[in-house]
């Protein structure tokens, strides 16, 4: 068994584009196949190529922004004003809409993210606590001078 890489034309969300996909090749059976992990990797490649083409943050870019502030997916989603599992979906299996992408991009800038966190205080405090919220704000403030 060996891996083969092939550029294929795919259709995703009404867009058609080329993407490199991987397959296993069984020489004895002369067949290509994918297992669950390789299939998931191929789907991730398709989603991220769509994101690149449409100038959306890639799944790992979203994760990097979230981790910059040492937040869980749920915390980050709440502070952005999204549903609790939205970031989990964007980091794993769903392509974000442009409107959500623009909000997530704002969080790259600590001062902008701080403003978003202030707007979503009530929901965060209800889910966690005032003390934890204040710690999160302090963590965001640490990045005010190191924005990327």
């Amino acid at each position: 068994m060996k891996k083969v890489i092939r550029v294929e034309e795919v259709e995703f969300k009404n867009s058609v584009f080329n993407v490199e996909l991987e397959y296993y090749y069984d020489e004895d059976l002369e067949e290509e196949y994918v297992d669950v992990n390789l299939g998931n990797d191929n789907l991730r490649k398709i989603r991220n190529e769509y994101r690149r083409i449409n100038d959306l943050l890639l799944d790992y870019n979203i994760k990097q922004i979230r981790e910059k502030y040492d937040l869980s997916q749920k915390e980050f989603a709440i502070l952005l004003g999204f549903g609790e599992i939205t970031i989990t979906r964007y980091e794993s299996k769903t392509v974000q809409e442009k409107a959500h992408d623009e909000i997530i991009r704002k969080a790259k800038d600590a001062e902008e993210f701080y403003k978003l966190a202030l707007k979503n205080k009530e929901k965060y405090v209800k889910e966690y606590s005032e003390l934890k919220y204040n710690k999160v704000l302090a963590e965001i403030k640490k990045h005010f001078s190191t924005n990327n």
Side-chain angles (χ1 to χ4, degrees):
M1 170 180 58
K2 64 180 181 178
K3 267 190 186 177
V4 293
I5 299 172
R6 195 171 55 239
V7 176
E8 291 191 26
E9 183 176 88
V10 297
E11 183 177 346
F12 183 77
K13 294 186 82 152
N14 298 317
S15 293
V16 177
F17 51 88
N18 292 324
V19 64
E20 272 189 7
L21 301 177
E22 293 183 64
Y23 299 90
Y24 292 117
Y25 181 73
D26 186 315
E27 294 178 38
D28 295 332
L29 298 173
E30 297 181 355
E31 287 184 356
E32 289 182 350
Y33 66 95
V34 296
D35 62 12
V36 172
N37 290 331
L38 198 55
N40 286 337
D41 288 347
N42 284 340
L43 289 172
R44 182 174 180 258
K45 288 177 184 181
I46 291 167
R47 288 188 298 266
N48 277 338
E49 185 59 25
Y50 175 86
R51 286 174 166 130
R52 268 190 272 283
I53 290 166
N54 290 281
D55 195 31
L56 299 171
L57 292 167
L58 305 180
D59 56 1
Y60 56 84
N61 298 134
I62 296 168
K63 184 176 182 178
Q64 288 171 335
I65 296 167
R66 175 178 62 79
E67 288 179 340
K68 172 181 173 177
Y69 304 108
D70 196 29
L71 295 169
S72 70
Q73 293 169 326
K74 182 178 177 179
E75 286 177 295
F76 192 47
I78 291 170
L79 291 168
L80 292 172
F82 300 164
E84 293 177 2
I85 62 171
T86 302
I87 294 299
T88 302
R89 289 180 178 145
Y90 293 164
E91 288 184 10
S92 63
K93 63 183 178 188
T94 304
V95 174
Q96 69 276 20
E97 297 299 324
K98 190 71 172 170
H100 273 194
D101 191 78
E102 290 170 2
I103 293 168
I104 297 167
R105 283 178 190 271
K106 285 182 181 181
K108 287 169 72 173
D109 179 285
E111 292 181 37
E112 288 298 317
F113 185 42
Y114 189 84
K115 292 175 191 172
L116 288 167
L118 291 175
K119 287 181 185 175
N120 294 296
K121 175 183 179 177
E122 186 177 323
K123 187 174 179 187
Y124 188 91
V125 169
K126 183 177 178 184
E127 185 66 32
Y128 295 100
S129 71
E130 183 89 29
L131 178 63
K132 188 163 180 157
Y133 176 75
N134 289 330
K135 287 180 181 179
V136 167
L137 290 182
E139 179 63 31
I140 296 170
K141 280 184 170 182
K142 287 181 189 176
H143 297 277
F144 274 17
S145 62
T146 60
N147 289 329
N148 292 345

